[in-house]
Amino acid sequence: DAADGAAGASARAAKGGDKKAKHGPAEDKAIGEVEGSGTNGIGVPATLHVHVPKAGGTPDQQKCSGKYALHSTANGFPVWIHERKDRFLYHGNDEHWYIGDDEEMEMNFDCDQGYIRHEGEAMLMPHELTGAWERGEDWTPDQHIWVSADGQPPSLESRAPRSSKDKGKGKSKNGSKSKGSKGFGKSKSKNGSK
């Protein structure tokens, strides 16, 4: 059950079983609040499905598509991991949900970068958000990107683009990052060195 998965992730994190996510007692309360939140009554889902269309994006952005399982917690929110173990859906330190990779995991998700993002709305989970997800590197809204708990796309109307605050660093291809209007870019070579 989804609530059991969230409780298990929270319990593992509290026992130190989640090596990549860190949180303290102050965040434990927030994690407990997140587990029961959500407008659809299911709280934190054990799995999420992400669809990023091939048109208009990079191969690395397209790799965000797939099934994600509840993994850990960070920044007071749940983190889901792609079934390939190479992408993470997490809540960044700038009130946006992102899909990033090992680089963000190594920062314990205390960052504001990824391949795609969506501005957070109160305590809503990624599948409950309205408006368009955005593709880095320039944070272009794409209403054809979606996240759902059941693998079915939400209505196109619920994914219509809204204005963005344009923060955070978007990733495009080969792990390179560019700056948002307030961020600084950095890049990696194909072998992963900086």
Side-chain angles (χ1 to χ4, degrees):
D1 154 302
D4 291 339
S10 187
R12 284 190 306 276
K15 291 178 186 173
D18 285 335
K19 295 178 177 86
K20 302 299 180 191
K22 63 180 182 178
H23 67 277
E27 284 186 282
D28 285 335
K29 182 177 181 193
I31 292 164
E33 291 168 3
V34 168
E35 289 170 0
S37 71
T39 59
N40 63 9
I42 67 169
V44 176
T47 59
L48 287 174
H49 303 266
V50 175
H51 172 74
V52 179
K54 292 180 181 179
T58 67
D60 280 323
Q61 291 167 348
Q62 294 162 16
K63 287 181 182 178
C64 296
S65 288
K67 186 175 179 180
Y68 288 72
L70 191 60
H71 174 64
S72 60
T73 56
N75 301 320
F77 288 87
V79 174
W80 291 267
I81 187 171
H82 193 284
E83 60 193 349
R84 286 189 319 266
K85 311 283 190 231
D86 66 345
R87 294 284 187 273
F88 299 88
L89 175 52
Y90 74 97
H91 193 271
N93 60 16
D94 67 343
E95 303 304 317
H96 282 77
W97 287 97
Y98 288 92
I99 294 185
D101 57 20
D102 290 340
E103 183 177 1
E104 288 76 29
M105 182 190 63
E106 290 168 6
M107 292 186 275
N108 293 314
F109 306 105
D110 187 18
C111 54
D112 61 353
Q113 60 192 35
Y115 296 104
I116 65 172
R117 74 170 185 182
H118 195 297
E119 185 175 2
E121 297 175 33
M123 296 299 282
L124 294 181
M125 297 293 104
H127 66 293
E128 299 171 316
L129 301 170
T130 59
W133 282 77
E134 300 170 318
R135 292 179 186 263
E137 75 191 57
D138 295 323
W139 298 127
T140 305
D142 185 341
Q143 68 185 47
H144 299 289
I145 297 173
W146 53 264
V147 176
S148 75
D150 63 5
Q152 299 300 311
S155 73
L156 197 56
E157 294 80 25
S158 72
R159 297 181 270 141
R162 297 183 301 180
S163 64
S164 171
K165 294 180 182 169
D166 197 28
K167 296 191 291 186
K169 290 158 277 300
K171 290 178 154 184
S172 60
K173 47 189 158 183
N174 298 329
S176 68
K177 296 184 185 171
S178 72
K179 62 183 181 92
S181 64
K182 297 180 183 176
F184 295 98
K186 60 182 176 177
S187 63
K188 294 192 280 187
S189 67
K190 289 186 179 184
N191 68 10
S193 63
K194 295 185 183 183

